[in-house]
Amino acid sequence: MPHIEVDGKRIEVNEEGFLAHPEEWNEETARLLAKAEEGLEALTAEHWAVVRFIREYYMEKNLAPMVRKMCQATGFPLMKIYDLFPSGPAKGACKVAGLPKPDGCV
Amino acid sequence: MKEGRLRTYEPGDNVQRFLDLLGRRITRSLAVSMTACVHCGLCAESCHYFLARPDDPTMAPVWKADQIRKIFKKYIDWTGRVAPWWVKAGSLRDDEDLNRLKNIVFGSCSACRRCTYNCPMGVDTGLLVRFTRGLLTELGIVPEGVFNVSRDQWETGNQMAVTEQDYLETLEWMRDEVRTELGTASVDIPVDKPDCEVLYTINPREIKFDPRSIAHAAKVFHAAGESWTLPKWGWDQTNFGLFSGDDKLGAYVARNVYEAAERLRAKRIVISECGHGYRSTRWEGYNWADYDQKLPTESVVVTLKRYLGEGRIAVDPSRNPDAVTFHDSCNIARSGDLVEEPRWVLRRVCTDFREMFPNRRENFCCTGGGGLLSMAEYRPLRLEVAKIKAEQLRATGAKLVCTMCHNCVDGLNDVIKHYKLPMRVVQVLELVSNALVVPGRNETKKTAR
Ligand code: SF4
Ligand code: SF4
Ligand code: SF4
């Protein structure tokens, strides 16, 4: 199983760097994923607003929310999501929120 | 869901089923590719898998194709039946062998057809690979990602299972964004409007994760004074049938688009920037769906070129001052014959356009082709062989790499991230939208990146 190592901790991920066991996600994992995969040294309140929403949506519907929903829930304009997560909503934000890789051409 | 179209794996005599299908489906042109190879090895040098792993014979296109050829020779071709040892015919024993075949045709080939383009005998290895994928798909022996996306496309009409409500809401949202940006309520993103000049079709990824491109398109259509619409149904121009080799899925998805154009009496179909969608909708789909092509079907880049050529939109290239290079998508250049148009546009909307080498029909794949982006299990090999692409990109010294394919955007982003290249990926619409001079608008305002 591939894994990443950050701050002396080891996280199991899939080949794409998405959490191998999405159910094992916690805030510490989010912080580590953000650092390793998105190059983010710290998560701000704005990052957390997006991540928490995605997480809740996923727990409820077992589905990644579309970016429209992320913006609606947080009140952020579209560009803000790309500013916060360099790899974008799917490979950035959803990854930090511990979701499995979304299906399709992404 | 269309009845029984998506096959799930069932244990049983899959080898026999595979051979039956092979015998039934083989065509004249495939038979030529099965038999014409003289094993000169020239194709090896054209494949990024082999170039990155020159000591591994299993990476050569001819080896990959031989795994299919061996089966064909043993069971179908008379030379193999009469003298199997002579033509090196191989046998297929069990599901384990089929699985191995799956890993070859899905996992070690991005179906980019660069080898095909470089074969002196006209052997179409890309076609052989797709054909074999199709046989395996029929048995449900496919990578999970391909299965899931195909299922969504069968069941919902689009590959990301976007609901109609989500689709419409996102379009309204983007309409409002462009209205705010341009400061006018006259901008619209019409849905299901009859008798338009243009029926615009998109990639579900644009709705679900990256609607910026829809806003860019709306802005340009507005500036050009175009009469255009998106359809409420039949808007997904991507087509996983191309990747899975399933012509029936290919036909279903393409037909949805063609019928939308007919229903709305549009004058032409315009396809947003997507390589495999372009190839499927513009070229392959009419055959898969057995549909008579009455309307012109074009890439939005061709539309942009027309607007610029006819003076329908004005641009200021100094707004795109960074060095831009262009990545030809395999499905657009090699397999779609669209080569000079994007360059023509880029030279007008940027100040520093530079080619990468090789380019045009000889360009290397972004490495994510053939649906590989949806198959996580093959990613380590994909990124390893992406070394070739990374070197090619780095040599340009460009800050931006432009491509007219959403799939290539993600493929290239993976390469850039993995090899730490100081580059960003953009698309043609984004650069045109950036450079667009909209009359009466406060021009000091920066447009969305
Ligand atoms: S270049 Fe053509 S003929 Fe030569 S080995 Fe490759 S497929 Fe066969
Ligand atoms: S189609 Fe492309 S990836 Fe596949 S064998 Fe040929 S050159 Fe290699
Ligand atoms: S993803 Fe892009 S470069 Fe790769 S095969 Fe498709 S069109 Fe080609």
Side-chain angles (χ1 to χ4, degrees), chain A residues 14-16 37-38 64-69 71 78-79 82-83 87 89-91 101-106, chain B residues 148-149 159-160 166 169-170 173-174 205 208-212 373-374 376 379-380 407 410 414 417 449:
Chain A
N14 80 352
E15 289 81 354
E16 300 256 14
E37 292 285 316
E38 288 290 279
M66 26 199 281
V67 65
R68 163 84 180 130
K69 299 247 159 40
C71 291
L78 179 57
M79 288 316 299
Y82 297 91
D83 289 341
S87 307
K91 287 188 164 176
K101 181 184 175 293
D103 287 329
C105 274
V106 278
Chain B
N148 290 346
V149 180
Q159 62 145 297
M160 287 192 183
D166 286 344
E169 275 183 21
T170 297
W173 177 36
M174 283 302 106
R205 179 184 181 280
K208 185 136 187 181
F209 293 122
D210 198 353
R212 292 174 296 181
L373 283 179
S374 65
R379 184 180 157 98
N407 195 69
D410 285 324
D414 283 349
K417 198 166 170 187
R449 242 194 303 130

Side-chain angles (χ1 to χ4, degrees), chain B residues 169-234:
Chain B
E169 275 183 21
T170 297
L171 294 179
E172 282 164 20
W173 177 36
M174 283 302 106
R175 179 201 61 202
D176 295 343
E177 293 274 307
V178 183
R179 283 184 176 173
T180 312
E181 191 196 329
L182 298 186
T184 164
S186 63
V187 182
D188 203 7
I189 300 187
V191 178
D192 254 5
K193 190 167 147 198
D195 301 304
C196 286
E197 199 59 43
V198 164
L199 179 88
Y200 194 53
T201 56
I202 58 175
N203 182 326
R205 179 184 181 280
E206 297 179 71
I207 294 287
K208 185 136 187 181
F209 293 122
D210 198 353
R212 292 174 296 181
S213 49
I214 300 171
H216 295 144
K219 211 170 113 182
V220 175
F221 285 140
H222 173 75
E226 187 63 274
S227 92
W228 70 295
T229 188
L230 287 131
K232 194 186 262 181
W233 172 256

Side-chain angles (χ1 to χ4, degrees), chain B residues 68-349:
Chain B
I68 309 158
R69 258 184 223 117
K70 280 203 275 197
I71 301 167
F72 170 78
K73 290 234 162 99
K74 167 132 180 158
Y75 299 100
I76 316 282
D77 187 55
W78 68 271
T79 52
R81 288 200 306 262
V82 177
W85 62 90
W86 179 251
V87 292
K88 300 202 194 85
S91 60
L92 203 54
R93 289 169 312 241
D94 49 21
D95 288 10
E96 195 55 36
D97 283 347
L98 288 173
N99 211 44
R100 230 185 325 270
L101 195 60
K102 174 193 86 177
N103 288 333
I104 295 167
V105 293
F106 283 100
S108 70
C109 173
S110 66
C112 75
R113 297 184 72 250
R114 195 166 188 270
C115 54
T116 300
Y117 191 71
N118 284 287
C119 169
M121 303 303 291
V123 171
D124 195 339
T125 299
L127 189 70
L128 282 183
V129 164
R130 181 172 182 275
F131 174 71
T132 312
R133 285 182 174 197
L135 303 181
L136 292 168
T137 298
E138 195 78 15
L139 303 174
I141 303 179
V142 285
E144 194 191 340
V146 175
F147 182 88
N148 290 346
V149 180
S150 303
R151 180 202 55 215
D152 286 348
Q153 221 168 13
W154 272 124
E155 288 178 1
T156 68
N158 72 82
Q159 62 145 297
M160 287 192 183
V162 171
T163 64
E164 184 174 297
Q165 190 194 354
D166 286 344
Y167 171 67
L168 297 175
E169 275 183 21
T170 297
L171 294 179
E172 282 164 20
W173 177 36
M174 283 302 106
R175 179 201 61 202
D176 295 343
E177 293 274 307
V178 183
R179 283 184 176 173
T180 312
E181 191 196 329
L182 298 186
T184 164
S186 63
V187 182
D188 203 7
I189 300 187
V191 178
D192 254 5
K193 190 167 147 198
D195 301 304
C196 286
E197 199 59 43
V198 164
L199 179 88
Y200 194 53
T201 56
I202 58 175
N203 182 326
R205 179 184 181 280
E206 297 179 71
I207 294 287
K208 185 136 187 181
F209 293 122
D210 198 353
R212 292 174 296 181
S213 49
I214 300 171
H216 295 144
K219 211 170 113 182
V220 175
F221 285 140
H222 173 75
E226 187 63 274
S227 92
W228 70 295
T229 188
L230 287 131
K232 194 186 262 181
W233 172 256
W235 52 269
D236 181 4
Q237 40 84 349
T238 70
N239 201 323
F240 249 62
L242 182 71
F243 297 152
S244 71
D246 181 355
D247 289 357
K248 282 176 281 179
L249 176 59
Y252 170 62
V253 181
R255 183 173 277 275
N256 285 341
V257 174
Y258 306 148
E259 286 179 350
E262 199 162 302
R263 172 170 58 85
L264 297 169
R265 297 183 300 272
K267 307 280 184 317
R268 70 175 73 226
I269 299 171
V270 174
I271 305 159
S272 73
E273 292 180 76
C274 173
H276 90 274
Y278 175 72
R279 178 172 164 199
S280 301
T281 313
R282 167 66 190 88
W283 297 102
E284 318 282 357
Y286 290 103
N287 288 324
W288 291 333
D290 194 17
Y291 201 90
D292 185 16
Q293 180 175 6
K294 299 184 203 81
L295 301 177
T297 301
E298 69 188 23
S299 159
V300 68
V301 172
V302 174
T303 319
L304 292 172
K305 177 173 182 274
R306 197 166 50 242
Y307 292 163
L308 285 164
E310 292 173 356
R312 283 174 72 175
I313 55 173
V315 286
D316 173 7
S318 71
R319 293 191 198 158
N320 288 316
D322 288 337
V324 182
T325 188
F326 183 67
H327 164 81
D328 288 275
S329 303
C330 316
N331 282 319
I332 289 188
R334 236 179 336 264
S335 300
D337 235 9
L338 200 64
V339 175
E340 299 307 328
E341 289 85 347
R343 295 179 160 75
W344 193 97
V345 172
L346 288 180
R347 287 202 188 90
R348 275 157 190 82
V349 299

Side-chain angles (χ1 to χ4, degrees), chain B residues 374-398:
Chain B
S374 65
M375 309 175 214
E377 61 270 51
Y378 304 129
R379 184 180 157 98
L381 176 61
R382 171 161 86 76
L383 286 178
E384 180 194 330
V385 303
K387 189 171 101 188
I388 305 296
K389 189 77 217 175
E391 285 162 10
Q392 188 196 12
L393 289 172
R394 198 192 304 273
T396 63

Side-chain angles (χ1 to χ4, degrees), chain B residues 36-44 62 69 118-121 123 125:
Chain B
C37 175
V38 295
H39 293 86
C40 66
L42 274 177
C43 53
V62 54
R69 258 184 223 117
N118 284 287
C119 169
M121 303 303 291
V123 171
T125 299

